[in-house]
Amino acid sequence: MSKIKPSKGAPYARIMGVGGYRPTRVVPNEVILETIDSSDEWIRSRSGIATRHWASDEETVSMMSVEASGKAIADAGITPEQIGGVIVSTVSHFKQTPAVATDIAHKIGAGKPAAFDISAGCAGFGYGLTLAKGMIVEGSAEYVLVIGVERLSDLTDLEDRATAFLFGDGAGAVVVGPSQEPAIGPTVWGSEGDKSETIKQTVSWNDLHIGDVSKLPLDKNGEVKFPAITQEGQAVFRWAVFEMAKVAQQALEVAGISPEDLDVFIPHQANMRIIDSMVKTLKLPEHVTVARDVETTGNTSAASIPLAMERLLATGQAKSGDTALIIGFGAGLVYAATVVTLP
């Protein structure tokens, strides 16, 4: 018989507050067209994106996260000292160690919480939310801060016609805390590593470090390009539309609800065509509010779901207590979907 005492966590967990930060610089499609042969109409028709935000030198991954976190903590009605865990999902923090989560935890005044980074691409917020839920139910933390943050402008090849217009910067954060009733459903998550080459970094940091020019992409002037994100657009589109709709449906089923029970749908803001196709495939009723933040924010990877959630609540398109389906999917290929009650 085990001598280990059982955990004394909360019976359930819920999202208590949300906050977002978008860089001050707004970049319209016209700026993108300076480096690629395309048009505003083509970009809008292919992606639905009209503008995106790009960070300045001062708007670092840490700075944007701190700003979003402060809003989420205030929205939750708690103090930074009550935070027992900080989970940061990002692919654009370029210091291998220490985790940026530790710096953020210090800057928000959280004391000595567990703090770590995760790399799950555009599904990262869903992964972090699931981990936070487990920490609270297990009893290792009472409140956990989950942050999705990216500076994808640093990983964008502005000469790549297929991706130059897609990416934006920003940070979204939520506070997850204890609940007496279910408010974060079971997560349907997974990966398809056989498709990992469809979204990837162009070259590894090691290739750049070694400096073998034969392995490195060059710009129009023959200079070595900084590593960037590239993707096989059509393959990703087909996978997202057909396979992720199945995952979303599974998330509804394990949560015990139907599409008619939903109030809000918050998919990863990758592409307007993908969002519209998923809505059609899922046969969502007209009363369901659908996040389409991608039009003015672009694809912000791990930040896209919390940023879209924050905007829906701030604009009154969604309200506290609404039932929302969230799903993230991206490089890996990885995915995560769950049903939540909005804060």
Side-chain angles (χ1 to χ4, degrees):
M1 183 177 179
S2 176
K3 297 180 181 180
I4 300 173
K5 293 182 180 180
S7 300
K8 295 183 178 180
Y12 306 104
R14 66 187 178 98
I15 300 174
M16 299 181 60
V18 60
Y21 180 86
R22 292 173 173 81
T24 55
R25 183 187 177 192
V26 177
V27 180
N29 288 338
E30 286 72 20
V31 172
I32 307 299
L33 297 175
E34 294 173 3
T35 52
I36 61 171
D37 180 16
S38 187
S39 67
D40 178 64
E41 189 278 331
W42 187 89
I43 293 174
R44 289 174 185 259
S45 65
R46 299 287 292 183
S47 68
I49 299 172
T51 61
R52 73 285 291 146
H53 295 256
W54 282 356
S56 65
D57 291 343
E58 291 74 28
E59 291 170 315
T60 63
V61 164
S62 178
M63 176 270 186
M64 292 190 293
S65 297
V66 169
E67 291 294 319
S69 298
K71 295 174 183 177
I73 292 169
D75 192 42
I78 64 170
T79 64
E81 293 82 5
Q82 292 175 275
I83 297 292
V86 178
I87 303 171
V88 178
S89 178
T90 185
V91 299
S92 48
H93 173 58
F94 295 152
K95 184 178 288 187
Q96 196 72 33
T97 192
V100 71
T102 58
D103 180 56
I104 295 165
H106 170 68
K107 288 178 177 176
I108 66 173
K112 299 179 180 180
F116 56 96
D117 298 350
I118 59 175
S119 177
C122 306
F125 176 74
Y127 275 52
L129 188 65
T130 304
L131 294 172
K133 173 186 173 182
M135 292 169 70
I136 290 160
V137 173
E138 186 268 342
S140 61
E142 185 175 11
Y143 301 100
V144 179
L145 184 65
V146 179
I147 303 165
V149 57
E150 301 293 2
R151 273 183 55 120
L152 294 182
S153 58
D154 292 335
L155 287 168
T156 299
D157 181 354
L158 294 178
E159 296 178 353
D160 181 0
R161 189 173 184 271
T163 61
F165 57 89
L166 287 176
F167 303 118
D169 304 335
V174 299
V175 171
V176 182
S179 175
Q180 294 302 308
E181 60 183 16
I184 300 175
T187 300
V188 178
W189 56 356
S191 64
E192 297 185 30
D194 61 313
K195 300 180 181 67
S196 62
E197 291 295 299
T198 56
I199 306 174
K200 63 181 181 180
Q201 186 171 307
T202 49
V203 295
S204 72
W205 299 116
N206 192 53
D207 288 339
L208 190 67
H209 172 68
I210 293 172
D212 184 351
V213 177
S214 65
K215 294 183 178 180
L216 303 175
L218 306 177
D219 63 19
K220 296 176 181 178
N221 299 317
E223 300 292 330
V224 173
K225 288 185 177 181
F226 192 75
I229 297 172
T230 186
Q231 67 177 27
E232 298 174 16
Q234 287 301 314
V236 173
F237 181 87
R238 288 192 297 269
W239 176 77
V241 169
F242 297 109
E243 298 303 319
M244 291 305 97
K246 297 175 186 177
V247 171
Q249 184 61 50
Q250 291 175 34
L252 291 175
E253 292 172 359
V254 297
I257 67 172
S258 68
E260 289 72 25
D261 298 318
L262 277 180
D263 300 303
V264 184
F265 179 43
I266 311 176
H268 165 48
Q269 302 295 293
N271 180 301
M272 195 75 79
R273 292 171 62 205
I274 292 175
I275 294 170
D276 291 340
S277 295
M278 290 185 70
V279 169
K280 183 178 180 180
T281 302
L282 289 169
K283 298 179 181 178
L284 295 184
E286 289 188 7
H287 75 262
V288 176
T289 297
V290 179
R292 291 188 170 87
D293 194 44
V294 66
E295 180 180 3
T296 56
T297 306
N299 180 343
T300 56
S301 188
S304 78
I305 291 175
L307 277 174
M309 181 185 297
E310 185 265 347
R311 175 161 281 175
L312 288 176
L313 290 166
T315 58
Q317 297 176 72
K319 63 182 185 301
S320 175
D322 278 353
T323 300
L325 169 63
I326 64 173
I327 180 169
F329 44 86
L333 294 169
V334 295
Y335 55 87
T338 188
V339 175
V340 303
T341 301
L342 294 183

